[in-house]
Amino acid sequence: MFPTPKMNRRNFLYGAGALALGGLAGVSQIRASAGTPLSLRTQKTAYAIGERPATEGLFSFAENAPPPVLRLKRNQVARIDVTNGLEDYTSIHWHGLRIANAMDGVPYLTQFPIASEETFSYEFTPPDAGTFWYHPHCNTMEQMAYGLTGILIVEEEEDPGFDADVPINLKDFRLDDDGSLLPYFTARGAARGGTLGTARTVNWRTAPEYEIPSGGLVRLRIVNTDLTRVYKVFLPNTEGHIIAWNGNPLREDIAWPTQEAPLWLAPGERVDIALRAPDVADEVIQAQTLIARQAQPLFSLRTTGVSKKRDLAELKSLSPVEVREPDLRTAETKDILFGWSPEGTGSNNGLCGDFGYTFWSINRNPWPGDAVKGSGPVVELKQGESYILKLTNKSPNLHPIHLHGLIFRPLRSNRRVLPSNWTDTILLLKDEVIEVALFADNPGDWAFHCHVIEHQKSGLSGYISVV
């Protein structure tokens, strides 16, 4: 395993183009180099979250620390050797990356689960620069709930010109006051909106503060790796703009979030924000979220040093994602319905566990389990053809729908106006119908599911075949 760098509030680690990975106390960042594999090991660990005593039995890819931020290069081959140091089976999915199906990390669909003390080598070439993340897709709920969620960044070939790059991992934990782990779900929560955590964290810390250069340009990468919570994010009294959504540079602008109209960030979603830091040292920018309509702090950025006197206009535009536009004149429409299912026994997930409940379904068919043979696709697409997926939510609950291996862009909604930006995840509101367009250019069986993990594991899951 790669050593964990020792970092404190005043550490700045410089990379290509004088990019500062600064001020992230307790969060290691590992940059891949050409021809050298990265080594990751899933393991049990202990960590103190907030004012609670250290929690035993958390899971991470680092000892007594949150999972490291992985940094890859666009169009550069990456090999990541994952060794399973847990007792139960696992597999790792690279959320948002358009890579070969065999490397997607979904048990039984693309690979056999990784047994305890076994190693699986993932090798792929990321075609897109942007903000992504990685997490298990076997024993998913337990392993994610206990900590196995990490940010993955694919760096641009040409430096856009930021002075600092700050990755933010939003994740709840379900902890008692004494730091012990609470059950990571409730049946009541799974049958409704999901079970919320009791401790909201940023990079496993409570309302942390990070340093940024005064008058500098900051890239803020906010990733929601939580199992349930939809964050409603805003940054009051701050100069900046949104530059990317769910890993992809914007085609259409997204309005700057305010307390009156915050940015909704559902499980699995990411946003990249360009900020211009205040010129005076010790000024504080506080990112906030709405909880029950009340503003709550997420994290803070404090300026330090002499002003760099930068201007947002100095930033280079991010290169648009290289994806073929779907032909809407010839696109075939596929109807996909998300809703409840009669309560029954849980799905059979083989070596990846049995959830025990069935509450949800796609097209009225709950997912029978990862290891069940003969389960057909939700829809079948022909490679090289354009499609419109009509996504209908027949429930009062929110569903962030994630498609592996492909990206799509929304066309229309019956409830709101959606910017038509490329994405791999989209949030369906109560009774919402969204039509999205895609070009089927990546062959394979691609997992397709709700990223409220309790919904996924109790039936709201399946796959889309591109043949």
Side-chain angles (χ1 to χ4, degrees):
M1 181 175 175
F2 273 58
T4 301
K6 294 181 179 179
M7 303 186 72
N8 56 53
R9 265 190 60 180
R10 297 192 175 274
N11 280 143
F12 284 86
L13 172 64
Y14 288 92
L19 174 68
L21 316 177
L24 293 180
V27 181
S28 64
Q29 302 201 45
I30 301 174
R31 177 177 276 118
S33 58
T36 303
L38 296 181
S39 295
L40 294 178
R41 180 182 176 86
T42 62
Q43 57 192 281
K44 285 189 175 182
T45 193
Y47 196 83
I49 293 175
E51 301 300 319
R52 297 171 173 85
T55 298
E56 301 285 344
L58 295 176
F59 297 160
S60 186
F61 296 91
E63 186 176 357
N64 301 323
V69 176
L70 304 183
R71 288 183 173 266
L72 312 180
K73 274 287 189 182
R74 178 177 180 264
N75 289 330
Q76 180 176 293
V77 177
R79 177 177 162 182
I80 305 175
D81 296 334
V82 176
T83 300
N84 183 14
L86 303 175
E87 295 177 2
D88 292 327
Y89 286 80
T90 194
S91 69
I92 303 300
H93 168 57
W94 316 97
H95 185 114
L97 292 187
R98 297 186 297 148
I99 55 180
N101 192 242
M103 296 292 106
D104 195 48
V106 180
Y108 302 102
L109 197 64
T110 70
Q111 71 170 87
F112 195 78
I114 309 170
S116 182
E117 297 305 328
E118 287 187 349
T119 299
F120 187 93
S121 295
Y122 295 92
E123 187 169 319
F124 51 81
T125 303
D128 306 314
T131 304
F132 307 94
W133 62 294
Y134 62 105
H135 65 83
H137 231 279
C138 177
N139 292 299
T140 312
M141 191 183 311
E142 178 185 21
Q143 292 182 11
M144 285 181 62
Y146 291 168
L148 284 182
T149 67
I151 294 176
L152 187 153
I153 293 169
V154 180
E155 297 176 336
E156 291 85 2
E157 291 153 312
E158 184 178 5
D159 178 16
F162 288 97
D163 300 298
D165 190 314
V166 183
I168 297 293
N169 184 342
L170 303 177
K171 188 192 175 319
D172 284 9
F173 290 88
R174 285 185 50 77
L175 305 176
D176 210 337
D177 291 341
D178 63 1
S180 60
L181 290 163
L182 294 170
Y184 50 83
F185 81 96
T186 65
R188 178 181 176 84
R192 291 169 175 77
T195 306
L196 295 173
T198 62
R200 297 190 307 276
T201 71
V202 170
N203 300 328
W204 287 29
R205 298 176 63 201
T206 302
E209 180 179 282
Y210 302 118
E211 291 186 349
I212 56 174
S214 300
L217 301 181
V218 179
R219 184 170 187 165
L220 194 58
R221 303 177 188 261
I222 306 178
V223 183
N224 184 353
T225 75
D226 193 58
L227 285 72
T228 299
R229 188 180 298 278
V230 177
Y231 283 85
K232 300 173 183 179
V233 179
F234 61 100
L235 294 95
N237 306 316
T238 306
E239 180 186 358
H241 55 265
I242 295 171
I243 58 174
W245 179 250
N246 288 338
N248 301 293
L250 300 189
R251 296 174 73 252
E252 298 182 11
D253 288 342
I254 296 177
W256 185 250
T258 64
Q259 184 167 352
E260 294 71 30
L263 182 72
W264 287 37
L265 200 66
E269 293 191 314
R270 299 86 70 202
V271 64
D272 288 47
I273 297 173
L275 298 178
R276 203 278 184 180
D279 286 299
V280 180
D282 285 326
E283 290 286 321
V284 175
I285 297 171
Q286 186 180 77
Q288 300 180 7
T289 185
L290 291 183
I291 304 291
R293 300 184 181 180
Q294 297 296 315
Q296 300 288 337
L298 280 177
F299 60 93
S300 299
L301 305 172
R302 182 180 294 274
T303 56
T304 184
V306 178
S307 176
K308 291 183 174 290
K309 299 181 179 180
R310 298 291 305 278
D311 191 295
L312 285 167
E314 299 174 35
L315 291 172
K316 297 173 184 174
S317 297
L318 302 180
S319 300
V321 62
E322 295 180 4
V323 61
R324 182 165 166 178
E325 281 282 345
D327 186 345
L328 301 182
R329 298 169 303 172
T330 63
E332 180 183 353
T333 298
K334 300 284 189 179
D335 288 292
I336 304 176
L337 179 69
F338 306 95
W340 279 319
S341 182
E343 183 179 353
T345 56
S347 57
N348 174 14
N349 289 297
L351 299 174
C352 294
D354 188 341
F355 182 59
Y357 299 93
T358 296
F359 296 126
W360 299 96
S361 65
I362 300 179
N363 288 342
R364 306 297 187 194
N365 293 310
W367 180 240
D370 299 336
V372 176
K373 295 181 179 179
S375 300
V378 173
V379 295
E380 186 174 280
L381 311 180
K382 293 181 180 178
Q383 187 178 355
E385 299 291 334
S386 298
Y387 292 91
I388 294 173
L389 305 183
K390 185 178 181 181
L391 311 177
T392 300
N393 182 10
K394 282 291 187 181
S395 83
N397 300 109
L398 304 179
H399 298 294
I401 303 300
H402 173 50
L403 175 59
H404 293 212
L406 301 164
I407 56 175
F408 53 85
R409 59 181 182 86
L411 300 176
R412 59 191 67 89
S413 162
N414 67 330
R415 292 203 51 189
R416 52 186 166 146
V417 176
L418 290 170
S420 192
N421 293 310
W422 292 108
T423 182
D424 51 73
T425 308
I426 195 162
L427 180 63
L428 280 173
L429 305 180
K430 174 185 176 183
D431 298 323
E432 187 170 30
V433 180
I434 298 178
E435 293 185 3
V436 304
L438 63 81
F439 183 75
D441 59 354
N442 198 1
D445 292 336
W446 297 107
F448 181 60
H449 60 87
C450 179
H451 233 285
V452 173
I453 305 300
E454 289 157 279
H455 294 175
Q456 175 194 346
K457 288 300 181 184
S458 59
L460 213 162
S461 185
Y463 68 96
I464 288 178
S465 284
V466 178
V467 296

